[in-house]
């Protein structure tokens, strides 16, 4: 059976399967031997016609290129997953928590309470409908039933019920469930050669390969055609290279593999984003984050936009086996944000007010040089310094800090870091939310000076976000929080102005209208975040605030009469 890639690349007419040279003029994917056959097939094909084609490059490999202009917010394509299963990578902390997705429906469940009555793996209920569904658990249940049975209480539950290994098993079972999807899976990049001898491969060998073989696969050699260790290692590489994180409202994260979506190119300034439809088998919808012109590559981001260049590229090198060389990564100032910049460490009598920047931002070992004096810092020294700071920032933010604690750490780190540094960004983003909520610092208790300070911080953070993510594709929640906090300041200022003698209602209404504009923009930005808990909760809060501001505006209008 031909894989999807082979069908796409074959010179075969979609109607009569004879040699053909003419592409569909819209998507450049389907081919025809004649215009008559194109007309015959168009009614069926137009529903699937895509505004992009799969292209190849020696450096990028396969990628997606727009074949016509695509409008912002337009759905570019919708795709069924090859596989959806439990989260691929679990942190040490996550491994210690005895909770996993139900094997029948992905509902969070405790590993020792309820189980599938046949394989004894954790389930939300023995009567869960997904347990008998061959496309969800029915087939894998036969393999899991070969295991040693339910884990004993004294055993480490998460060590026996290895959810990441279950994801590999789901991939392996495609050869029985859906041979076409199995061929598409094998057509995906695995980076097998690059993984050899690495920690990733050693971890997969222990965590996945030996576990599946010893507990399940070697006990049923006739059930699957391909299940040897080499195939398991290959699947681990495919998952590691291509998986996408699927967040559920319950807080559970799953991993999905999508044949076409996984070909999208990485960029630290993407032009697309995606969402998942849980009601339709976790279909992925890829959406244009801005207007995309014909000939542009379709790009998403596989890393964290709020990491610095070194952190983003280190993550990409480990998980995707490439380094990003986009405009942001090649710019020492990171698009004028100075998101990684340090203050000059000159120890002269008159301290230099210059900025330390990486000489070659694409080289993790590069020296850092001052833009105003001759001071140079070794790259290893910078890395050590930032490691210590990262631990300090993460420890503080993990414990629900007070305003005083955040301010103290900002003052301490501010002696070494640029005011826009990513650690300072994180602390400021926390601080603008504390100003107005902490007892003694509620919004009506803040002094005029603190109100202005909060508003200034909001503007600083907004400016950084606009430069890093001009189309607000990845930072919609961060920006929406900033907009919400700006609105609280503007509303409070309007109330204080209204209470003053000699105020003008026009000024009061202008502040309130500006606050409403910020909230309205936030609700627009959050449309792409409604399938996760944080986005949904924030949207509810903003919708409530909109009603309150509208009520204030109405009162101001009545007062004017």
């Amino acid at each position: 059976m031909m894989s999807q890639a082979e069908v796409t690349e074959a010179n075969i007419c979609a109607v009569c399967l004879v040699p053909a040279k003419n592409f569909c003029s819209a998507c450049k994917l389907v081919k025809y031997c004649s215009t008559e056959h194109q007309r015959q097939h168009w009614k069926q094909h137009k529903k699937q016609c895509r505004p992009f084609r799969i292209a190849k490059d020696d450096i990028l490999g396969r990628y997606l290129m727009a074949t016509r202009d695509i409008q912002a917010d337009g759905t570019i394509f919708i795709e069924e997953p090859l596989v959806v299963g439990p989260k691929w990578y679990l942190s040490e902390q996550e491994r210690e928590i005895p909770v996993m997705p139900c094997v029948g429906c992905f509902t969070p469940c405790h590993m020792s309470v309820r189980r599938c009555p046949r394989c004894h793996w954790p389930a939300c209920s023995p009567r869960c409908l997904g347990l008998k569904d061959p496309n969800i658990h029915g087939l894998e249940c036969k393999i899991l039933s070969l295991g040693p049975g339910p884990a004993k209480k004294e055993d480490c539950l998460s060590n026996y019920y290895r959810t990441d290994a279950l994801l590999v098993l789901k991939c392996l079972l495609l050869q029985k469930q859906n041979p076409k999807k199995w061929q598409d899976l094998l057509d995906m990049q695995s980076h097998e050669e690059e993984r050899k001898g690495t920690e990733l491969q050693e971890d997969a060998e222990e965590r996945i390969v030996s576990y599946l073989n010893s507990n399940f696969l070697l006990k049923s050699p006739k059930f699957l055609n391909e299940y040897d260790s080499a195939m398991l290692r290959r699947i681990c590489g495919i998952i590691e290279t291509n998986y996408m994180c699927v967040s559920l409202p319950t807080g559970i994260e799953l991993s999905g593999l999508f044949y076409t979506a996984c070909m999208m190119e990485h960029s630290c300034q993407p032009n697309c984003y995606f969402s998942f439809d849980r009601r339709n088998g976790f279909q992925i919808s890829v959406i244009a984050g801005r207007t995309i012109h014909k000939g542009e590559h379709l790009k998403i981001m596989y890393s964290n936009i709020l990491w610095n260049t070194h952190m983003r590229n280190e993550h990409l090198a480990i998980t995707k086996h490439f380094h990003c060389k986009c405009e942001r990564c090649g710019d020492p100032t990171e698009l004028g944000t100075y998101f990684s910049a340090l203050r000059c460490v000159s120890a002269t009598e008159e301290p230099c007010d210059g900025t330390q920047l990486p000489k070659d931002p694409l080289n993790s070992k590069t020296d850092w040089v001052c833009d105003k004096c001759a001071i140079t810092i070794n790259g290893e020294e910078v890395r050590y310094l930032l490691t210590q700071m990262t631990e300090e920032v993460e420890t503080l933010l993990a414990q629900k800090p007070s305003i005083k604690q955040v301010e103290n750490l900002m003052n301490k780190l501010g002696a070494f870091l640029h005011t826009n540094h990513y650690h300072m960004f994180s602390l400021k983003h926390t601080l603008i939310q504390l100003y107005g909520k902490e007892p003694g610092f509620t919004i009506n208790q803040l002094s005029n000076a603190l109100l202005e300070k909060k508003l200034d911080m909001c503007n600083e953070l907004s400016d950084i976000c606009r430069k890093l993510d001009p189309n607000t594709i990845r930072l919609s929640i961060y920006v929406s929080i900033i907009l919400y906090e700006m609105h609280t300041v503007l509303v409070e200022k309007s109330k204080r102005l209204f209470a003053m003698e000699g105020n003008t209602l026009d000024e009061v209404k202008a502040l309130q209208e500006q606050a409403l504009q910020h909230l309205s923009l936030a609700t627009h930005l959050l449309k792409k975040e409604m399938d996760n808990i944080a986005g949904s909760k924030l949207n509810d809060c903003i919708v409530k605030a909109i009603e309150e501001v509208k009520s204030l505006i109405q009162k101001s209008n009545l007062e004017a009469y």
Side-chain angles (χ1 to χ4, degrees):
M1 179 175 291
M2 297 174 71
S3 71
Q4 181 174 333
E6 290 171 325
V7 169
T8 299
E9 293 165 10
N11 294 315
I12 297 175
C13 175
V15 178
C16 61
L17 303 183
V18 302
K21 294 182 179 180
N22 302 317
F23 279 97
C24 164
S25 59
C27 66
K28 305 294 184 183
L29 291 175
V30 179
K31 299 173 186 176
Y32 307 96
C33 65
S34 67
T35 54
E36 181 183 350
H37 279 182
Q38 183 169 355
R39 285 195 298 270
Q40 289 177 10
H41 194 63
W42 175 246
K43 189 172 182 180
Q44 174 186 345
H45 171 59
K46 68 179 180 179
K47 297 177 181 178
Q48 305 169 334
C49 186
R50 295 175 169 182
F52 66 88
R53 66 182 177 87
I54 299 173
K56 279 187 176 181
D57 182 272
D58 291 340
I59 298 175
L60 296 174
R62 287 183 295 191
Y63 62 92
L64 308 184
M65 177 185 288
T67 54
R68 60 177 183 261
D69 290 350
I70 304 169
Q71 296 302 309
D73 299 322
T75 299
I76 301 173
F77 66 94
I78 298 173
E79 182 180 22
E80 299 281 347
L82 298 179
V83 167
V84 172
K87 187 177 180 181
W88 170 244
Y89 178 79
L90 297 175
S91 65
E92 290 299 323
Q93 289 180 328
E94 289 173 317
R95 292 181 193 280
E96 294 174 1
I97 301 174
V99 174
M100 66 170 281
C102 165
V103 291
C105 66
F106 301 127
T107 298
C109 59
H110 196 282
M111 293 179 179
S112 63
V113 180
R114 299 181 183 88
R115 296 190 174 97
C116 169
R118 289 169 294 280
C119 68
H120 306 295
W121 272 60
C124 65
S125 164
R127 294 178 295 279
C128 175
L129 295 178
L131 295 181
K132 293 183 179 180
D133 188 332
N135 294 318
I136 301 177
H137 180 65
L139 191 58
E140 71 190 30
C141 188
K142 295 179 181 180
I143 300 291
L144 297 176
S145 298
L146 300 172
K152 298 177 182 178
K153 290 184 178 180
E154 62 268 21
D155 292 336
C156 176
L157 293 171
S158 58
N159 190 45
Y160 177 75
Y161 298 119
R162 296 191 187 176
T163 56
D164 42 9
L166 185 56
L167 181 62
V168 174
L169 180 60
K170 285 179 179 291
C171 290
L172 204 61
L173 289 172
L174 285 178
Q175 56 189 291
K176 283 280 187 181
Q177 290 175 314
N178 193 319
K180 181 181 182 302
K181 284 188 175 183
W182 172 245
Q183 290 302 317
D184 284 346
L185 178 80
L186 296 183
D187 194 43
M188 298 174 79
Q189 181 63 264
S190 66
H191 290 290
E192 289 178 85
E193 290 301 316
E194 295 93 329
R195 287 170 57 85
K196 285 182 179 179
T198 65
E199 290 185 13
L200 282 175
Q201 188 187 50
E202 292 173 5
D203 179 57
E205 192 72 35
E206 177 184 353
R207 185 165 52 94
I208 308 294
V209 179
S210 61
Y211 167 78
L212 284 176
N213 276 331
S214 60
N215 286 293
F216 309 104
L217 296 176
L218 295 180
K219 297 180 180 181
S220 180
K222 295 181 180 180
F223 189 74
L224 296 170
N225 295 325
E226 298 183 70
Y227 64 93
D228 61 12
S229 296
M231 178 56 69
L232 292 176
R233 284 191 288 270
R234 181 178 176 184
I235 291 175
C236 287
I238 290 170
I239 294 172
E240 187 76 56
T241 303
N242 298 283
Y243 82 92
M244 290 182 167
C245 182
V246 183
S247 298
L248 302 183
T250 57
I252 287 285
E253 289 185 352
L254 305 177
S255 292
L257 291 175
F258 299 84
Y259 182 80
T260 304
C262 290
M263 292 184 200
M264 284 191 290
E265 183 181 340
H266 163 86
S267 174
C268 297
Q269 283 200 310
N271 54 23
C272 300
Y273 65 94
F274 51 85
S275 63
F276 300 99
D277 187 346
R278 297 183 296 275
R279 294 167 297 181
N280 288 305
F282 298 100
Q283 287 180 337
I284 188 172
S285 295
V286 176
I287 303 157
R290 60 167 174 80
T291 297
I292 300 172
H293 298 290
K294 180 180 178 179
E296 280 193 73
H297 297 192
L298 304 186
K299 301 177 182 180
I300 58 175
M301 191 172 189
Y302 292 105
S303 191
N304 190 324
I305 197 169
L306 292 178
W307 286 348
N308 72 350
T309 298
H310 170 68
M311 294 163 67
R312 296 193 310 277
N313 269 304
E314 186 174 54
H315 173 257
L316 291 170
I318 293 172
T319 60
K320 305 297 181 181
H321 304 282
F322 73 87
H323 288 87
C324 182
K325 297 180 180 179
C326 70
E327 182 184 358
R328 178 183 171 186
C329 288
D331 180 359
T333 72
E334 297 197 48
L335 305 176
T337 62
Y338 293 87
F339 209 54
S340 304
L342 311 176
R343 290 190 181 278
C344 181
V345 295
S346 174
T348 59
E349 292 184 4
E350 294 185 8
C352 172
D353 62 349
T355 301
Q356 300 278 165
L357 295 168
K359 191 173 183 180
D360 177 7
L362 297 177
N363 180 357
S364 62
K365 298 180 180 180
T366 189
D367 289 338
W368 288 58
V369 296
C370 178
D371 61 0
K372 288 192 176 180
C373 72
I375 290 291
T376 299
I377 311 176
N378 180 273
E380 287 300 317
E381 294 177 7
V382 172
R383 190 168 183 171
Y384 175 78
L385 177 67
L386 292 177
T387 299
Q388 304 305 309
M389 291 181 177
T390 298
E391 184 176 346
E392 200 166 357
V393 171
E394 290 180 349
T395 300
L396 177 66
L397 297 184
Q399 61 187 29
K400 295 183 178 180
S402 67
I403 287 175
K404 189 67 174 175
Q405 288 175 312
V406 176
E407 288 179 333
N408 286 342
L409 185 55
M410 283 178 61
N411 290 333
K412 176 182 175 182
L413 300 187
F416 304 95
L417 305 178
H418 189 280
T419 185
N420 288 355
H421 189 275
Y422 62 93
H423 282 325
M424 300 295 280
F425 179 97
S426 182
L427 292 170
K428 287 179 182 178
H429 201 268
T430 299
L431 195 55
I432 63 170
Q433 296 173 74
L434 292 176
Y435 285 148
K437 294 184 178 67
E438 186 175 304
F441 290 89
T442 57
I443 196 69
N444 62 318
Q445 292 175 315
L446 294 180
S447 66
N448 289 334
L450 273 181
L451 274 181
E452 292 300 331
K453 180 179 179 180
K454 174 170 176 168
L455 189 58
D456 287 343
M457 279 190 183
C458 287
N459 284 318
E460 290 171 11
L461 296 175
S462 179
D463 183 60
I464 293 171
C465 291
R466 188 162 43 248
K467 290 176 179 176
L468 291 181
D469 189 14
N471 300 290
T472 322
I473 293 173
R474 290 296 298 264
L475 291 175
S476 50
I477 287 184
Y478 278 87
V479 173
S480 295
I481 289 173
I482 294 168
L483 290 168
Y484 175 83
E485 297 301 336
M486 291 174 81
H487 121 272
T488 63
V489 175
L490 295 170
V491 168
E492 181 59 27
K493 289 177 72 173
S494 77
K495 290 178 179 179
R496 295 183 188 187
L497 184 61
F498 181 78
M500 291 172 59
E501 291 186 12
N503 72 79
T504 65
L505 285 175
D506 286 344
E507 291 179 274
V508 172
K509 287 167 61 178
L511 289 169
Q512 294 168 351
E513 291 286 356
Q514 190 180 358
L516 185 60
Q517 289 173 10
H518 287 333
L519 293 174
S520 298
L521 176 56
T523 58
H524 173 73
L525 296 178
L526 286 173
K527 287 180 180 178
K528 63 173 71 73
E529 301 290 349
M530 294 305 292
D531 60 347
N532 66 62
I533 296 176
S536 180
K537 284 185 175 180
L538 179 57
N539 187 71
D540 290 343
C541 182
I542 290 173
V543 168
K544 182 180 178 182
I546 286 175
E547 294 306 312
E548 292 172 353
V549 175
K550 284 182 177 179
S551 178
L552 282 175
I553 292 173
Q554 188 175 20
K555 289 179 181 178
S556 297
N557 288 332
L558 290 173
E559 191 71 24
Y561 291 101

